Amino acid sequence: MIKSIEWTEQGSVRLLDQTRLPGEQIYVECRDFVSMAEAIGAMRIRGAPALGVAGAAAMALGAQAIQAGDFEAFYAELATLGERLANVRPTAKNLTWGIEQIKRSALKWKELPLQALKEALVREAKAILEQDIQTNQAIGEHGKALITNGSRILTHCNTGSLATAGYGTALGVIRAAFAEMKRLHVLVDETRPVLQGARLTAWELQQEGIPFTLIADTMAGHFMKQGEVDLVLVGADRIARNGDVANKIGTYTLAVLAKEHGIPFYVAAPRSTIDLSMTNGEAIPLEERCPEEVLQIGGKPIAPEGTKAKNPAFDVTPSRYVSAIITEGGIAYPPYERSFCDLLRS
Ligand code: MRU
């Protein structure tokens, strides 16, 4: 299984640089908070669950450098690092979740001498990484029941091993169904502007030997109308209490198209993506990235110089378009507010 992120024996964090894929497999080594924050901002590591794992790792690395006389001073600095990091990629709930896990652990072990506390935070960040893989495998186990033999699945962005600590969410469901010898075919949206579908999902599916075809985002409606899509399966960056889903830009379009064509629209995500503090999707912060991502492909300009561009990285799909949400605790069906309560209790 591809490792998007791992701890080294020297106590640094090694990331597979996703900006260089599929052309080059280059690893970057992060030894401190600043280099982790840079890697997250530049999308060397990306995808909501991976951001949770990377966020926790960044905080644990950051903690090592804090020189404080007592716990209160230490915790205040840790909290400041957390605020800085959360703003780097504000949409994915998992990033704040990872940050909060480390802050909570610090509070839990506040009586420890500072050096022992710092070591405990690294152990916690490592445990979060390991846990993420198990969570994804559980999502896959639950979700594979929704995939029948011969299914033609449309997916968007990258939700595989690269977007997590391993295995994947929506791609994990596909992986689990494929492992059960189910025949399936994946239609992969290229996912402009950053091309996570073309560059990353195609790369992962190819390595796994799972049959797929790449399409331009604008072709999705055509293939649905032709009867060539049985279900849509995507991931999520933040899910509000009512089941509204923030995910990669273009997801909303797919959901509306799927409803028009009577095609089920499924979302796969860990429970750490669900944000019960948000009543609906309107309050979800949507990251706006730099216009160059739209104005260029692979560093080459595709529009006349001086062209203005907008680049919202995510959109929100209202819950009425979402047929089910697959989590590690089971599958939630509408009304989501109620099913989430059961899921989060279990
Ligand atoms: O901007 P990205 O590449 O971090 O966006 C990723 C997505 O939108 C994924 O669909 C989502 O995070 C789920 S990943 C399992």
Side-chain angles (χ1 to χ4, degrees), residues 56 59-60 78 98-106 121 124-125 128:
M59 292 291 283
L78 192 68
I99 293 167
E100 290 305 320
Q101 292 292 105
I102 295 296
K103 282 170 60 188
R104 208 167 304 140
S105 299
L121 295 185
E124 176 66 13
I128 287 172

Side-chain angles (χ1 to χ4, degrees), residues 43 46-49 89 157-159 163 169 196 236-237 247-248 314:
M43 293 172 72
R46 40 135 311 273
R89 297 217 64 198
C157 197
N158 170 266
T159 60
T169 57
Q196 290 94 329
D237 278 77
N247 191 46
K248 181 50 55 195
F314 300 95

